[in-house]
Amino acid sequence: MTCLIKIRSLRENMSANEKKLADFVLENTGLIRDYSSQQLASAVGISQSSVVKFSQKLGYRGYPDLKMAIYESLSHEVTSTTNTAAGGASLRQKNAEELLFGLKQEAIETTVALNSKEKFDQAAGALRRAERVQVFGAGLSGLAARSLAYHLMLTGKAVVNEAEVLVQLAQADGLGKGGVFVVISETGEDSDAVALTQRAKSAGATVIAICRCGTSPVSLLSDIVLEALVDRGQTNLSSLLLAAAQQHLVDILVSRFN
């Protein structure tokens, strides 16, 4: 059952305030991406805590998870609808795309605010001074890793970005004190990412980690940690939003490096 269907089906058994929220969401689905929990509460005329409780009653950890679920629900309706009216389908598609854009923007803005200017300066400075750079990305984070490696190569840096983990392990052993190892991981707990970080650290290299906010094996081993903050939800959009946030951190590093 999608989020919007769930709201429609549960509406009759909701309290007065919950019905106000449900009606506002159902009638203004495409606008939800622009509303914080406080703004939504003000628009409906209820308290912010009521918005949080409403989200939890629907089975979500909080309001950010509800927003992501609404996007998924919109996407489902666009792809599964039997309504062939081109205008209606086009509008729903536009709403879904706008909500996704809003969620990405929110993830990026939160992530940037989480990391200090000093952190970015330290990471960019380490890359600038490095005699050699090795970059590894696990899973979806591999896209950001390849982007960083490519841009560093364009500056003339000696960069290693192998897909094969065994090759990466051998390369990490030779990094030395003049080298920098950049590890980009969604969780900071991926076994390959941890093993490579340990090897690079043992070789004397400076380690820069770009991973999800919070303590992890990779972050504990690293000298400089840039964190991406995306709510762990029940939706598969979480990984997509984290990848977008990590890519933005890479873009900032590249801009500061140049």
Side-chain angles (χ1 to χ4, degrees):
M1 182 185 297
T2 67
C3 176
L4 295 178
I5 292 176
K6 186 186 295 185
I7 293 173
R8 292 187 189 106
S9 65
L10 296 176
R11 184 189 177 283
E12 292 307 312
N13 295 319
M14 291 180 178
S15 66
N17 281 345
E18 289 170 346
K19 284 181 179 178
K20 287 182 183 179
L21 262 174
D23 291 341
F24 187 89
V25 169
L26 293 173
E27 293 169 9
N28 303 278
T29 307
L31 301 178
I32 297 301
R33 72 175 182 87
D34 295 321
Y35 283 78
S36 65
S37 57
Q38 181 59 62
Q39 289 171 326
L40 177 58
S42 298
V44 178
I46 59 175
S47 67
Q48 186 177 13
S49 62
S50 295
V51 174
V52 176
K53 290 177 182 177
F54 177 77
S55 303
Q56 293 172 338
K57 185 171 183 177
L58 291 172
Y60 304 103
R61 295 200 324 158
Y63 180 62
D65 287 353
L66 176 62
K67 287 175 72 172
M68 287 191 282
I70 289 172
Y71 163 75
E72 285 191 325
S73 189
L74 276 172
S75 298
H76 177 79
E77 289 191 359
V78 168
T79 56
S80 64
T81 183
T82 55
N83 180 4
T84 57
S90 175
L91 178 60
R92 286 192 297 274
Q93 181 65 53
K94 181 180 179 181
N95 286 341
E97 291 168 355
E98 287 180 348
L99 184 56
L100 175 58
F101 175 80
L103 291 170
K104 281 187 175 182
Q105 186 176 40
E106 183 178 359
I108 289 170
E109 289 175 351
T110 304
T111 292
V112 171
L114 181 67
N115 297 280
S116 66
K117 175 183 180 295
E118 289 71 27
K119 273 191 179 183
F120 287 119
D121 288 342
Q122 289 171 7
L127 290 171
R128 197 177 295 112
R129 294 187 299 270
E131 298 172 4
R132 189 171 164 213
V133 180
Q134 184 170 341
V135 185
F136 174 76
L140 277 178
S141 299
L143 297 174
R146 285 194 290 275
S147 173
L148 177 60
Y150 172 73
H151 284 94
L152 290 177
M153 288 176 188
L154 290 179
T155 69
K157 280 287 179 185
V159 181
V160 174
N161 179 222
E162 294 285 344
E164 177 55 52
V165 175
L166 290 177
V167 176
Q168 285 260 15
L169 285 168
Q171 296 283 356
D173 288 333
L175 273 176
K177 291 186 178 181
V180 170
F181 179 71
V182 182
V183 54
I184 307 178
S185 170
E186 180 176 342
T187 64
E189 299 173 353
D190 175 82
S191 58
D192 289 336
V194 174
L196 282 163
T197 303
Q198 289 173 330
R199 293 284 275 271
K201 190 74 174 176
S202 297
T206 297
V207 177
I208 300 172
I210 299 177
C211 54
R212 189 188 292 270
C213 179
T215 303
S216 68
V218 165
S219 67
L220 289 173
L221 287 165
S222 302
D223 300 293
I224 303 166
V225 181
L226 296 174
E227 298 176 296
L229 183 59
V230 174
D231 212 353
R232 289 177 185 263
Q234 303 170 4
T235 161
N236 58 18
L237 268 184
S238 180
S239 292
L240 178 62
L241 297 176
L242 183 66
Q246 288 181 332
Q247 180 61 58
H248 193 73
L249 290 176
V250 165
D251 292 343
I252 291 175
L253 281 183
V254 170
S255 68
R256 286 177 180 263
F257 183 85
N258 294 331

